[in-house]
Amino acid sequence: RIFKVLGTPKMEQEAEEWPKDAAVRLADFKPRVGQDLAKIITRVADDEVAMNFIRNILTFNPDKRLTARSALQHAWFLS
């Protein structure tokens, strides 16, 4: 279901976007194109700060994903 919404990272982005210690490889999944999150999360679609927050917590690579601490310091929570 996650790939249906977010799509799969492109193979050339695997080293950057796919978790290094994942039990499965990106090549194990059929490539999918993601949907526009603004069309799914319509309540905050016009709020660029909120959409930035959502995109950052839905990042595949945990090294690039917001931590709980950094999420609480995101501009969306501070506004």
Side-chain angles (χ1 to χ4, degrees):
R1 177 132 175 123
I2 292 171
F3 291 150
K4 184 177 179 183
V5 174
L6 298 180
T8 53
K10 293 180 177 34
M11 288 303 294
E12 58 270 11
Q13 296 173 316
E14 181 173 18
E16 185 178 309
E17 297 299 326
W18 197 250
K20 294 177 187 116
D21 57 353
V24 293
R25 299 174 313 136
L26 179 57
D28 295 335
F29 298 97
K30 177 178 88 170
R32 296 187 97 146
V33 176
Q35 299 177 37
D36 182 358
L37 288 176
K39 291 181 179 177
I40 297 169
I41 310 169
T42 57
R43 188 172 181 184
V44 294
D46 294 333
D47 185 341
E48 189 52 43
V49 175
M51 293 306 296
N52 175 273
F53 174 76
I54 292 166
R55 285 186 204 101
N56 280 297
I57 62 170
L58 295 178
T59 300
F60 287 111
N61 188 336
D63 294 333
K64 293 186 166 195
R65 190 179 309 134
L66 285 179
T67 63
R69 182 181 309 266
S70 62
L72 290 173
Q73 294 171 349
H74 190 276
W76 189 47
F77 282 107
L78 300 176
S79 59

